Amino acid sequence: GVLLAVVIGVALLAFIIGDFLNSGSTLFHQSKQNVAEINGEKINIQAYQEAIDQMNTVYKIESGRSDFNENEMSQLRTQVWENMINERVLGAEAAKMGLTVSTEELRDKLIGKNIHSLILQRPAFMDPQTGQFSQAALLQFYNSVFDDNVPQESQDQLREAKSYWLFWENAVKNSILQDKYLALIGKSVGANSIEAKYNYDARKLT
């Protein structure tokens, strides 16, 4: 009876320790997956790597190269990290003020009548003959990105083109949001908090 109790006790202890170690291992593994924390938001290493891959695609399409050296890759990673910080800090501040970018605003700046300067400057949207921005080239690229009838052998190119477009779409959205934020801050300079809130509320009603 005593021997049986000892055996059962040892088995239970082994089970508890094993469960604790497994749990600790999982927590440790999860902590290793986070590369940093920005404004209280944990940045997963996979999200960071995906952002690097997207930036790599942007560089590839705009430069026509894919053989980037270590110095260029270091600059790319730095730019990605700075973009992630800026985007999250701006997003948090804009959310506090209720600032947003509507679908209509974004569409107008991307393919509408008031194309954003970030889009105007892209080599992918320029006429190869004149070297100038081409609305036709932009629309052709845009329509091809969202074409559901692309042959299987062109799927890799489609994924790269879509990643490129989504990068600049997000960049334009953040630029519009930043302009709104800076305009609001600029108007509130010299005014007290009550006047600033009144001006902001008035703008929302117009």
Side-chain angles (χ1 to χ4, degrees), residues 67-122:
D67 55 335
F68 305 117
N69 58 43
E70 183 53 39
N71 183 52
E72 290 170 322
M73 286 302 299
S74 178
Q75 293 177 359
L76 183 151
R77 287 190 288 268
T78 299
Q79 186 174 350
V80 166
W81 182 241
E82 290 176 351
N83 287 351
M84 294 181 81
I85 293 174
N86 292 338
E87 182 176 341
R88 281 159 177 77
V89 171
L90 174 64
E93 292 301 311
K96 290 177 184 176
M97 298 182 175
L99 298 175
T100 60
V101 178
S102 69
T103 302
E104 293 74 19
E105 283 180 283
L106 186 58
R107 183 178 180 83
D108 183 48
K109 291 294 186 179
L110 290 171
I111 58 173
K113 295 180 179 180
N114 300 292
I115 305 297
H116 197 279
S117 59
L118 286 174
I119 300 299
L120 294 174
Q121 297 166 6
R122 306 277 57 85

Side-chain angles (χ1 to χ4, degrees), residues 4-23:
L4 181 61
V6 171
V7 170
I8 292 174
V10 170
L12 285 172
L13 181 62
F15 175 79
I16 293 170
I17 292 175
D19 185 59
F20 173 78
L21 290 176
N22 287 334
S23 174

Side-chain angles (χ1 to χ4, degrees), residues 23-37 42-49:
S23 174
S25 176
T26 301
L27 293 174
F28 179 69
H29 179 70
Q30 289 176 346
S31 67
K32 285 173 62 179
Q33 296 303 304
N34 297 321
V35 293
E37 185 174 307
K42 289 182 172 59
I43 305 300
N44 187 276
I45 192 170
Q46 182 178 348
Y48 178 54
Q49 185 58 54

